[in-house]
Structures are given as structure tokens and as C-alpha cells.
Amino acid sequence: MIEISRLTKRFAQQAVVDDLSFSVQPGEVLGFLGPNGAGKSTTMKMLTGFLAPSSGTASIHGFDIQTQTLQAQRLIGYLPEGAPCYGDMTVGRFLEFIAEVRGYRGADKRARVDRVVGLLELEHVRRQSIETLSKGFKRRVGVAQAILHDPKVLILDEPTDGLDPNQKHQVRELIGSLAQERIVIISTHILEEVTAVCTRAVVIANGRLVADGTPFELESRSRYHQAVTLVGENALDRQALAALPGVAGVEENPLENSLTVLARPGEVIFPQVNALIAERGWRIKELDVERGRLDEVFRTLTRGEAA
């Protein structure tokens, strides 16, 4: 497991990461979220041993990242922001080089390189120099080098940045399969990534933890949790919807020609809305119940961070 306890990093007198504590268990895919400048990258660098904390501790499966750095780093696969690679190397040679750095030789090295080339579908660019690849393929090479040594902990910074929808789906499926016996931490600005692949999310702002829960638990904090959106073929009676039991209010969406009926906290309003539709004989083209909007929760939790 990963244990982070009261982790703090100061530059001059400013605390970029401030008394941060949480743990991650094998099998969890943790989304690590926060606005720009919140301290995400600094936390990642401390967790992987590239930056020393001002105070506090971090350990990887019992190995302290400060005092047992090499033992901890052997367990980590890391994809940093930007996926730095040697551009003049071919994909195959770069992955062979990484395998050699990790201590693999001969048949074991070739098998490991072949495995990640297959998983990330890099065969047809294997002999191409990295500097000539698209951003998406460079990202895939970055993921390949991170998983080459079959790490127990996988730390990925924006893993699907630059990928097309098919490639994103493929990488998300790969992350899901890798997480069965490992810890995966994903730092991302793409909130869609959290609901698609993460089992848990930690949100930080100003270097401090402001939320920790499953994606569903975070979505349930949204004012749109259990909201019902209606798209009608004709005009809908907004006042009648607002008067229903458990309804907190009704929002108009002029561009979509729809109404969103908001539920009071803890209320389920779909049965009442559905009964009113039947009673009035409204012709409805779409009827959706929302889980909640993670982007709205994120903005609420981190409001003021950008300023």
C-alpha cells in the first residue's frame, strides 16, 4: 500500500503541499485531482522520490521514499507530465534501453519489450524514431515504459492526453486490467477520466486535501444529484414541476429546449415527475435522471484556487 502522512513541501515561505495525508490500497485506481497550482505534480514528485519533502513521510509497500529510495522506486512505474523520451531513439530501442536500465537482459528483455509493444499497439511504429511520432503515440510509448517492469504501483500524469477516443478507451481498459493487483494513481484534469476508470478520487486545493471518496460519493454532493431533465415536444409547465414534493427548483436550458428539475438533498423526485408527465399527457422526447455533475462539485471544492 501507499501511505502518505502529513506530507508538506515549502518553497521559500509558501507551502505548495500542506500537511497532506491519505493511503491507497492495492486494487484501487485513485484519481488525484486539483486545479493548476494545487500541488498535484509536487506531490507526485515527492511520492516518486524526485523531490524531498519539507516534512512528513511517504512509503511504498513499507519502503520509506526518503530513506529507502531505491527499494521504493523499483516498485513504481511512472509516467510524468509530457512523457519525456529520447527523441532520436526508435520506439523499440528506447524500450530496450529502459529494460536494460531496469536490469533485464537477453530473452527476458525481449519478452518484456514485445509484451508492452503489443499491449499499446506500437508494432507498426517500433522502428520509427520517437521525435517523428504524434503526441498520442508518444504518450503510448510513455505508458509502455512505465509498465515494462510490471510495477506494483503505477503513477500516471495525464495518461490519455493527446489520444483519440479509441486510444483513450484502450488505455483505460489497460489501466483497469493493471489495477486488479496493483495500485494506480492518475493525476488528471479530465474529469471524464475519473468516472470512466477511477474507483476513488482525492481532490486537493492550495496543497490541502478537500475531498476523498468514490466518484459516486463526489457526484452525490452535486446540486444536480437525482435531478430530472425533460425535453418535451411541446411546452412544459415549469410551475407545476416546481410545486412537486421534494423539488428544490427548476432550471431552463434554452439551447436544448429542456427543463432540469432539481431535487432537495436526500430526495428522489423521478416518480413525482413521471406521474405529472402521465397526468398532463406531455409528449416527452428525452427523460434523464442525473447522478450529479463532477465538474460542478470540483468547482465548488476548489473555488478561489485559481485566484
Side-chain angles (χ1 to χ4, degrees):
M1 66 181 296
I2 291 178
E3 283 278 0
I4 293 176
S5 178
R6 309 202 69 176
L7 202 63
T8 299
K9 183 63 181 179
R10 292 185 180 86
F11 293 107
Q13 298 302 312
Q14 183 180 3
V16 178
V17 177
D18 190 3
D19 201 34
L20 189 63
S21 297
F22 62 89
S23 62
V24 194
Q25 302 290 337
E28 285 191 303
V29 180
L30 179 73
F32 193 52
L33 308 176
N36 290 332
K40 299 190 305 300
S41 293
T42 301
T43 301
M44 294 285 198
K45 289 175 182 176
M46 289 190 287
L47 185 57
T48 51
F50 291 98
L51 190 64
S54 302
S55 61
T57 61
S59 65
I60 309 292
H61 286 287
F63 295 110
D64 187 282
I65 195 66
Q66 294 183 78
T67 61
Q68 299 167 294
T69 306
L70 288 180
Q71 295 96 316
Q73 287 180 334
R74 288 190 184 104
L75 303 176
I76 298 172
Y78 183 35
L79 174 66
E81 187 178 5
C85 301
Y86 293 106
D88 56 341
M89 283 186 174
T90 65
V91 171
R93 181 64 195 115
F94 173 71
L95 294 174
E96 288 171 1
F97 167 70
I98 295 297
E100 290 164 5
V101 169
R102 291 285 183 184
Y104 301 111
R105 300 290 185 272
D108 192 13
K109 178 184 77 173
R110 290 191 295 272
R112 288 179 179 274
V113 171
D114 288 345
R115 172 178 167 272
V116 296
V117 165
L119 281 172
L120 276 302
E121 294 188 359
L122 296 168
E123 188 59 54
H124 71 285
V125 297
R126 187 169 185 158
R127 293 174 178 80
Q128 190 171 326
S129 62
I130 292 173
E131 64 188 358
T132 65
L133 298 178
S134 67
K135 183 179 181 182
F137 269 108
K138 287 178 181 176
R139 208 70 187 144
R140 283 203 262 177
V141 173
V143 174
Q145 65 80 27
I147 66 173
L148 191 142
H149 59 298
D150 201 20
K152 292 184 179 294
V153 174
L154 192 56
I155 298 176
L156 307 173
D157 202 347
E158 303 287 355
T160 62
D161 183 35
L163 303 186
D164 66 35
N166 289 332
Q167 293 165 350
K168 283 183 180 180
H169 178 72
Q170 181 187 21
V171 170
R172 287 168 183 168
E173 284 196 328
L174 176 61
I175 290 169
S177 65
L178 290 170
Q180 292 177 11
E181 298 177 355
R182 297 171 181 80
I183 293 170
V184 180
I185 298 179
I186 299 172
S187 175
T188 182
H189 292 89
I190 306 171
L191 297 180
E192 165 200 344
E193 204 93 286
V194 178
T195 53
V197 75
C198 295
T199 60
R200 179 178 158 210
V202 163
V203 184
I204 66 170
N206 289 315
R208 299 183 68 88
L209 190 147
V210 294
D212 183 354
T214 66
F216 177 78
E217 287 169 345
L218 293 184
E219 287 171 336
S220 68
R221 297 170 66 165
S222 167
R223 63 194 293 261
Y224 294 98
H225 181 58
Q226 292 295 336
V228 179
T229 297
L230 307 87
V231 180
E233 293 185 3
N234 45 22
L236 304 174
D237 189 338
R238 178 175 176 174
Q239 290 184 336
L241 287 164
L244 290 173
V247 171
V250 180
E251 292 184 354
E252 288 190 63
N253 311 301
L255 293 178
E256 300 174 359
N257 192 29
S258 66
L259 295 176
T260 297
V261 187
L262 304 175
R264 292 175 185 162
E267 297 283 349
V268 176
I269 61 171
F270 178 76
Q272 298 93 293
V273 173
N274 199 37
L276 183 64
I277 292 170
E279 177 187 319
R280 297 292 182 92
W282 290 338
R283 299 179 67 180
I284 302 297
K285 293 192 290 186
E286 293 182 28
L287 184 63
D288 298 308
V289 180
E290 296 200 32
R291 289 176 45 167
R293 300 181 186 179
L294 194 57
D295 60 338
E296 182 236 346
V297 175
F298 179 84
R299 286 194 302 271
T300 300
L301 289 169
T302 61
R303 188 169 290 141
E305 172 71 5

